[in-house]
Amino acid sequence: PPNPSAAASLSAGVATGGAEDAASARSAGTVGGSGREEADKWTIFVSVVSYRDPECPCTLRDLFAKAACPDRVFVGLISQCDGKDDEECFLSGVVDPLLLRNVREVRMDWQEARGPCWARYLAQHMWQGERYFLQIDSHMRFAPGWDRFLIDELHRCPSPRCDDYGWIFNPLL
């Protein structure tokens, strides 16, 4: 699994963790170009941990809205919030109901939280064999076509894993 301290991490070959799978993922070609069979099968698991973050629903709405193939994006969300005071942290009414089926959410009371590494560990257990793994913060925004772009970039890398902190997001700007 990716480094829990990275803000965003995209990995290939996660299914077995083997270098052989990663090499085969790289040799399959880019998503938008020559690797047609790879392009027809790819899925991304996005690990998200939220601790009372009112930006989380907006992050997921943006994640799906700007994905080139939103039906191939699956989210593992750990929501650590107060069921009464944190209504703005809930997804209902914010994310398209058809895409909510791609969100695997575990809600827990914020007072039961054990820290971000533990929550990321729980989110990783929601992975169901998707080809790619992306770990993000709960307060991010996306560029149009981010999913295809990240996979294309990964296939250009000499390593099956890329880590980056990305651009700083300020909701006030």
Side-chain angles (χ1 to χ4, degrees), residues 32-153:
S34 61
R36 199 67 252 156
E37 67 185 57
E38 173 72 11
D40 293 339
K41 294 189 276 188
W42 66 268
T43 53
I44 299 177
F45 175 77
V46 182
S47 170
V48 182
V49 170
S50 175
Y51 181 82
R52 303 188 82 178
D53 188 353
E55 285 296 315
C56 185
C58 299
T59 295
L60 293 188
R61 181 179 57 220
D62 201 57
L63 174 129
F64 285 116
K66 293 186 180 159
C69 299
D71 57 317
R72 295 182 183 187
V73 175
F74 297 87
V75 174
L77 173 62
I78 303 296
S79 294
Q80 302 163 107
C81 52
D82 185 309
K84 295 177 183 163
D85 294 335
D86 293 337
E87 286 184 29
E88 70 277 6
C89 297
F90 299 133
L91 302 179
S92 56
V94 177
V95 176
D96 180 342
L98 293 175
L99 293 173
L100 270 179
R101 70 176 185 261
N102 288 12
V103 177
R104 304 167 197 144
E105 181 180 17
V106 171
R107 279 191 197 162
M108 65 182 62
D109 188 271
W110 66 277
Q111 295 173 329
E112 302 295 321
R114 296 185 193 169
C117 292
W118 175 74
R120 290 196 187 282
Y121 167 79
L122 295 178
Q124 288 175 3
H125 283 279
M126 293 185 207
W127 173 73
Q128 294 180 1
E130 289 82 3
R131 179 76 177 175
Y132 300 97
F133 186 106
L134 176 66
Q135 180 174 288
I136 65 169
D137 287 333
S138 60
H139 39 267
M140 297 184 75
R141 296 299 179 268
F142 296 83
W146 66 266
D147 48 345
R148 287 187 183 269
F149 173 80
L150 287 178
I151 293 170
D152 283 346
E153 287 297 300

